């Protein structure tokens, strides 16, 4: 199945930004997943349904059990040499575009560490390299985007205490805010996944599309949030007697998502429902790039995998709104809140990897505040 340029942008943008930027992503999957009927189990266990995968695409190999590789394919094998060179050039221009593990230093203060995470329950992501584990174990505190990630039940309670943020305002429904054509597409897509449209009628479109963006793969252990990297870090910290500190609140993260223009929310929901068959492959490709520590290459790679996508990159108002609301504003706030913790020394900070990169990223933000931030090898 071939998808349009605009749909490719919407899907790629939504998937990689949410998985790299929001720990709430994992919890949302569980909240919506509880509505899915048992009959869907046989669908989830099937391989990726992307009909456009070439015969040369790599097959899941040994050691893929329990990982997304059992259901999705890393699509980088499709890229031509020219595309790879262009992607590498774009990534090279991005400050802190490579690297996941960093040392933060300032004279007179004990050094701290910074780790870029990806909010997926895949053991290839959640298994900590020795250098990262040692850095966390030697810290006084672990700093995450949300302290509630250490207790999914507490996070769920916080979310549902903010139920109005998850639902459409003024008695509106999906049917009232969407065109008939879009509503029919979403209704059919949800029903096919065993999700009653009636249960979603009052929910904000971002809530549904975010939830549906998770890989549909039984190999991931029913999307256990305790298996996601952020939750693993929180559990290790608590077991070690460390304080777990949050840089944001659940309310702030929900507000950021809910602030997206309704037009953008609807477009992303329709695209996500229509092309869910590509999700496993996109996520597996993203995991490969994350493990290679080439974060700035993720978006150019996903764009290159779709015909002519580069022609309209960054040209839509919706894209700019997502970039500003979900990434840029939050980066500045996290740097501001991180600094007092860094000044105490011996802090281990872990946030979505997307927050590290670019001119407005956390690495550059800390450097502008007078901190020395040096990339470290993960081993």
């Amino acid at each position: 199945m071939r998808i349009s340029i605009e749909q490719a942008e919407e899907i790629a943008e939504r998937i990689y930004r949410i998985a790299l930027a929001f720990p709430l992503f994992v919890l949302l999957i569980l909240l919506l997943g509880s509505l899915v009927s048992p009959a869907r189990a046989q669908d989830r266990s099937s391989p990726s349904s992307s009909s456009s995968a070439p015969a040369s695409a790599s097959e899941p190999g040994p050691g893929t059990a329990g990982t997304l590789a059992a259901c999705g394919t890393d699509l980088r094998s499709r890229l031509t040499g020219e595309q790879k060179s262009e992607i590498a050039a774009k990534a090279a221009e991005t400050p802190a575009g490579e690297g996941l593990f960093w040392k933060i230093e300032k004279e007179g203060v004990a050094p701290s560490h910074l780790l870029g995470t990806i909010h997926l329950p895949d053991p290839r992501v959640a298994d900590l390299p020795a250098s990262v584990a040692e850095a966390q174990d030697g810290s006084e505190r672990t700093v995450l985007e949300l302290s509630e990630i250490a207790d999914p039940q507490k996070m769920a309670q916080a979310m549902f205490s903010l139920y109005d943020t998850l639902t459409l305002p003024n008695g509106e429904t999906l049917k009232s805010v969407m065109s008939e054509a879009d509503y029919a597409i979403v209704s059919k897509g949800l029903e096919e996944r065993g999700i009653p449209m009636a249960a979603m009628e009052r929910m904000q479109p971002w809530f549904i599309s975010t939830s549906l963006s998770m890989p549909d793969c039984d190999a991931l252990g029913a999307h256990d949030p305790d298996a996601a990297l952020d939750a693993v870090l929180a559990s290790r910290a608590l077991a070690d007697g460390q304080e777990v500190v949050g840089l944001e609140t659940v309310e702030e993260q929900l507000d950021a998502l809910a602030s997206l223009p309704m037009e953008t929310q609807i477009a992303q929901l329709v695209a996500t429902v229509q092309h869910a068959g590509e999700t496993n492959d996109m996520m597996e490709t993203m995991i490969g790039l994350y493990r290679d520590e080439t974060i700035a290459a993720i978006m150019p790679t996903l764009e290159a995998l779709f015909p002519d996508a580069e022609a309209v990159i960054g040209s839509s108002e919706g894209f700019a709104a997502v970039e500003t609301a979900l990434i840029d504003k939050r980066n500045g706030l996290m740097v501001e809140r991180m600094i007092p913790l860094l000044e105490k020394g011996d802090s281990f900070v872990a946030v979505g990897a997307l927050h590290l990169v670019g001119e407005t990223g956390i690495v550059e933000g800390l450097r502008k505040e007078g901190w020395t931030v040096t990339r470290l090898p993960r081993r």
Side-chain angles (χ1 to χ4, degrees), residues 4-345:
S4 71
I5 293 172
E6 291 78 11
Q7 289 166 332
E9 271 195 334
E10 289 165 3
I11 297 170
E13 174 187 320
R14 165 62 63 173
I15 287 176
Y16 104 94
R17 279 176 165 71
I18 293 298
L20 289 173
F22 280 92
L24 277 175
F25 181 55
V26 175
L27 181 63
L28 289 171
I29 304 317
L30 294 184
L31 294 177
L32 193 66
S34 64
L35 300 173
V36 179
S37 67
R40 240 190 110 215
Q42 61 183 14
D43 297 329
R44 291 200 305 270
S45 62
S46 62
S48 170
S49 60
S50 176
S51 59
S52 57
S56 61
S58 60
E59 295 295 326
T64 62
T67 72
L68 182 59
C71 303
T73 300
D74 186 334
L75 299 179
R76 286 181 289 174
S77 60
R78 295 184 184 182
L79 298 172
T80 65
E82 182 178 357
Q83 287 175 320
K84 291 178 181 178
S85 296
E86 291 175 353
I87 291 167
K90 287 182 180 179
E93 295 172 355
T94 305
E98 291 190 358
L100 292 173
F101 188 40
W102 304 77
K103 190 173 185 178
I104 307 171
E105 299 173 286
K106 181 180 273 190
E107 187 175 352
V109 179
S112 294
H113 292 84
L114 173 65
L115 176 70
T117 68
I118 181 172
H119 309 303
L120 290 172
D122 190 304
R124 293 170 299 168
V125 171
D127 289 344
L128 296 182
S131 59
V132 175
E134 290 169 5
Q136 186 187 21
D137 293 343
S139 299
E140 294 293 327
R141 67 196 60 81
T142 290
V143 183
L144 305 172
E145 289 180 42
L146 295 174
S147 61
E148 290 89 346
I149 198 69
D151 186 347
Q153 183 176 2
K154 184 178 179 181
M155 184 184 282
Q157 290 172 347
M159 285 187 64
F160 283 116
S161 71
L162 302 165
Y163 185 71
D164 288 347
T165 307
L166 309 180
T167 56
L168 290 164
N170 306 318
E172 291 177 331
T173 64
L174 289 178
K175 194 166 189 177
S176 69
V177 300
M178 299 175 70
S179 68
E180 288 187 13
D182 286 346
Y183 184 83
I185 290 169
V186 172
S187 180
K188 180 181 178 181
L190 290 178
E191 294 291 344
E192 287 175 349
R193 289 163 179 76
I195 303 171
M197 187 64 175
M200 295 289 103
E201 193 67 51
R202 289 292 321 284
M203 306 310 295
Q204 293 254 9
W206 70 260
F207 176 89
I208 306 172
S209 59
T210 300
S211 301
L212 293 177
S213 293
M214 187 69 178
D216 191 18
C217 179
D218 270 354
L220 295 186
H223 313 318
D224 178 3
D226 292 333
L229 176 53
D230 300 76
V232 168
L233 293 170
S235 296
R236 295 183 84 258
L238 292 176
D240 192 41
Q242 290 185 27
E243 177 187 16
V244 177
V245 183
L247 293 172
E248 297 178 300
T249 66
V250 173
E251 181 176 8
E252 286 172 331
Q253 288 208 351
L254 289 176
D255 284 345
L257 288 162
S259 71
L260 298 178
M262 184 56 62
E263 182 179 285
T264 301
Q265 291 190 40
I266 292 171
Q268 290 170 337
L269 173 56
V270 172
T272 301
V273 169
Q274 280 184 312
H275 305 291
E278 284 82 17
T279 300
N280 287 349
D281 291 344
M282 284 189 174
M283 283 291 194
E284 179 60 17
T285 303
M286 186 174 69
I287 287 175
L289 290 162
Y290 173 84
R291 296 177 72 199
D292 289 346
E293 303 192 35
T294 53
I295 304 306
I298 290 176
M299 192 60 173
T301 297
L302 293 180
E303 290 162 355
L305 291 169
F306 297 92
D308 303 321
E310 290 181 325
V312 290
I313 295 311
S315 62
S316 72
E317 293 182 4
F319 179 92
V322 171
E323 184 79 14
T324 299
L326 303 191
I327 308 299
D328 293 343
K329 288 183 179 179
R330 294 174 60 222
N331 286 350
L333 186 61
M334 282 196 274
V335 168
E336 179 182 329
R337 292 175 178 175
M338 193 184 300
I339 287 176
L341 300 168
L342 298 177
E343 289 175 341
K344 294 181 179 180

